[in-house]
């Protein structure tokens, strides 16, 4: 099953060339083989997966019409609820939590015939850019095991890159689907805010979080988005926007598409290898029929401070519910009194990065500082939105590198949170404005190491107008067809 696409698996199951159970067993075996090294999965649901796959095979034998993901093994980031399945957000505070309900996206996947095989490692409560903030240890990059797979959806990206599953779900608050997709050499799609229901996602920052797919190619991302999209009575922020046929948009060319290039923004602080791959990618895009136009995003340089004021404020509010009372971890010292229970349960249950963001968020929302920090950040957020609106008056898409660097080494930035935060410079503004964005592989850089060379992936990011994922996917598909990068696989 290694490196097979979701569409190929579905076709094999529907035609009877292979069974859903065979694919489920192959995925579980691959995970068992690779996880001791990669630590991409927090836990598996093997019996549940085999039972699901068996039902699909029985439906096929009975002549039933099978769904668009029939028999496709799928992994879920461990902040997505599945009824009765342990869901931790990679945090000690939720180590024993078993949700009484499933996320809307989980229900949609299973209705489409997908087989859930396990929950993937991530930064605790999706807070991080390297997957090093997990209570269960860092996930590792399949291309170089001493390097980060990116974060916070690092486990999902590593699982797809390693050939464990053809499709995994992640959540993207400031780049947490696109950046790990870039670091692992796979495709990661962050839909428009509201395109996909967030019901059942353990909240980090509610105005920024968005669920999306990580896949081996653009076609599978389009297929997954078609299934995941749509309104939801359980989520008031889920848009009632019509869901187009995303697969029909993949016509293999970019003729007539105008792509904006914010050259001033991407010219500083970018690794030379990334800049070289980016420039080469622009020529590929031109060759697919697109027209390149220089644009300016004057307030993009403020995106990082704005993001870390907004997201920490929302995290402070969202994570107040983890108090040791209703569910989750409760400190053994809770018997000393209510105040001790709150303090000890949160102190022992949360990791350092989550505590840092809760404290920052509480500070910026406090009396006397709200206007100076949080309100000012929201005002600059509006300016960022206006920058993109002006750009989209003359272009259809905006193109940037996904990350300013190739995958960095584990431990390289853990002692300097600011440098870690800057890894998201090209992705956070997309969440602040609510736009759709995709990362596709666009090159590799060879980096020497003791005894050999590491081949590290580089990603290209395409950003579109709100609810115009069709154009984003169309151009990404055209780029993918004209390059070989998405067909490269790591030697595990």
């Amino acid at each position: 099953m290694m490196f097979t696409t979701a569409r190929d698996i579905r076709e094999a199951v529907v035609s009877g060339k292979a069974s859903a159970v065979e694919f489920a067993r192959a995925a579980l075996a691959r995970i068992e083989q690779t996880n001791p090294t990669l630590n991409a999965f927090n836990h598996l649901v093997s019996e549940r997966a085999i039972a699901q796959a068996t039902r699909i095979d029985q439906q096929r034998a009975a002549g039933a019409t099978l769904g668009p993901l029939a028999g496709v093994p799928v992994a879920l980031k461990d902040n997505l609820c599945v009824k009765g399945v342990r869901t931790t957000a990679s945090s000690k505070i939720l180590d024993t939590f078993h949700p009484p309900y499933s996320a809307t996206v989980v229900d949609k996947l299973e209705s489409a015939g997908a087989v859930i095989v396990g929950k993937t490692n991530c930064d605790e409560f999706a807070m991080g850019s390297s997957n090093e903030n997990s209570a269960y240890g860092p996930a590792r990059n399949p291309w170089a095991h001493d390097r980060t797979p990116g974060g916070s959806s690092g486990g999902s990206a590593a699982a797809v890159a390693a050939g464990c599953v053809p499709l995994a779900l992640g959540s993207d608050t400031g780049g947490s689907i696109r950046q790990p997709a870039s670091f692992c050499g796979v495709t990661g799609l962050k839909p428009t805010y509201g395109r996909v229901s967030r019901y059942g996602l353990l909240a980090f920052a509610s105005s920024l979080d968005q669920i999306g797919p990580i896949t081996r190619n653009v076609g599978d991302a389009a297929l997954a988005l078609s299934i995941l999209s749509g309104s939801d009575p359980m989520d008031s922020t889920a848009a009632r926007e019509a869901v187009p046929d995303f697969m029909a948009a993949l016509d293999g060319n970019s003729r007539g598409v105008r792509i904006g290039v914010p050259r001033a923004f991407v010219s500083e602080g970018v690794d030379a290898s990334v800049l070289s791959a980016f420039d080469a990618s622009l020529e590929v895009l031109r060759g697919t029929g697109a027209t390149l136009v220089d644009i300016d995003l004057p307030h993009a340089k403020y995106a990082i401070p704005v993001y870390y004021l907004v997201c920490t404020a929302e995290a402070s509010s969202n994570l107040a519910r983890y108090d040791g009372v209703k569910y989750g971890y409760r400190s053994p010292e809770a018997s000393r009194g209510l105040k001790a229970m709150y303090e000890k349960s949160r102190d022992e249950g949360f990791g350092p990065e989550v505590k840092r963001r809760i404290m920052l968020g509480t500070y910026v929302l406090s009396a006397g500082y709200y206007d100076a920090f949080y309100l000012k950040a929201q005002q600059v957020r509006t300016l960022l939105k206006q920058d993109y609106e002006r750009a989209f008056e003359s272009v259809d898409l905006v193109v940037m590198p996904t990350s300013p660097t190739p995958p960095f080494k584990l431990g390289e930035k853990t002692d300097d949170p600011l440098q870690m935060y800057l890894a998201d410079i090209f992705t956070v503004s997309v969440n602040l404005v609510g736009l759709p964005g995709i990362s596709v592989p666009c090159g590799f850089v060879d980096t020497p190491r003791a005894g050999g060379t590491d081949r590290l992936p580089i990603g290209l990011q395409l950003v579109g107008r709100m609810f115009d994922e069709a154009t984003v996917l169309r151009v990404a598909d055209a780029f993918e067809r004209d390059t070989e990068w998405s067909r490269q696989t790591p030697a595990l």
Side-chain angles (χ1 to χ4, degrees), residues 1 50 72 122 154 174 186 280 333 359 406 437:
M1 194 208 76
I50 297 301
V72 176
C122 59
V186 292
E333 298 187 41
M359 288 189 291

Side-chain angles (χ1 to χ4, degrees), residues 171-397:
S171 65
D172 193 311
T173 309
S176 291
I177 288 173
R178 290 159 290 151
Q179 186 247 30
S182 170
F183 279 12
C184 290
V186 292
T187 296
L189 174 64
K190 181 256 172 205
T192 303
Y193 182 80
R195 173 66 87 182
V196 176
S197 170
R198 293 183 298 111
Y199 178 72
L201 171 69
L202 300 176
F204 162 17
S206 300
S207 76
L208 304 169
D209 295 342
Q210 188 60 71
I211 300 165
I214 298 175
T215 58
R216 291 214 54 79
N217 58 32
V218 176
D220 279 358
L223 173 62
L225 184 62
S226 298
I227 294 163
L228 299 173
S229 298
S231 61
D232 180 11
M234 304 301 291
D235 179 7
S236 61
T237 66
R240 296 182 179 179
E241 198 81 11
V243 180
D245 183 351
F246 295 115
M247 294 295 292
L250 311 184
D251 60 8
N253 71 81
S254 304
R255 284 191 297 273
V257 178
R258 293 171 63 84
I259 300 179
V261 186
R263 295 187 187 275
F265 181 44
V266 303
S267 62
E268 296 182 10
V270 181
D271 187 271
S273 62
V274 173
L275 203 54
S276 176
F278 178 67
D279 289 340
S281 298
L282 294 180
E283 294 309 308
V284 173
L285 289 170
R286 199 192 306 273
T288 65
T291 301
L292 302 183
V293 180
D294 286 351
I295 61 168
D296 189 23
L297 298 174
H299 298 96
K301 60 186 176 183
Y302 303 118
I304 289 289
V306 169
Y307 172 78
Y308 280 99
L309 288 168
V310 172
C311 80
T312 56
E314 295 186 12
S316 171
S317 176
N318 278 325
L319 272 64
R321 70 193 72 178
Y322 302 106
D323 53 13
V325 178
K326 298 175 288 296
Y327 55 87
Y329 175 79
R330 178 181 293 186
S331 171
E333 298 187 41
S335 59
R336 290 173 47 201
L338 185 65
K339 187 171 183 289
M341 180 182 69
Y342 288 159
E343 290 179 349
K344 289 293 184 179
S345 295
R346 289 170 67 81
D347 179 46
E348 296 167 12
F350 289 134
E353 182 62 25
V354 173
K355 292 177 185 175
R356 180 184 294 119
R357 297 196 191 195
I358 289 174
M359 288 189 291
L360 284 170
T362 303
Y363 178 79
V364 304
L365 289 175
S366 61
Y369 297 100
Y370 179 93
D371 288 349
F373 293 105
Y374 183 73
L375 180 60
K376 182 64 69 177
Q378 293 288 20
Q379 290 169 337
V380 180
R381 186 179 186 178
T382 300
L383 295 177
L384 280 166
K385 184 173 184 289
Q386 292 171 350
D387 286 350
Y388 276 98
E389 287 173 344
R390 277 191 292 270
F392 287 129
E393 290 174 0
S394 58
V395 300
D396 303 297
L397 297 176

Side-chain angles (χ1 to χ4, degrees), residues 179 182-183 270 274 401-406 408 423 425-427 458-459 461:
Q179 186 247 30
S182 170
F183 279 12
V270 181
V274 173
T402 307
S403 173
T405 68
F408 48 87
I425 183 65
F426 296 129
T427 55
I458 298 170
Q461 180 181 206

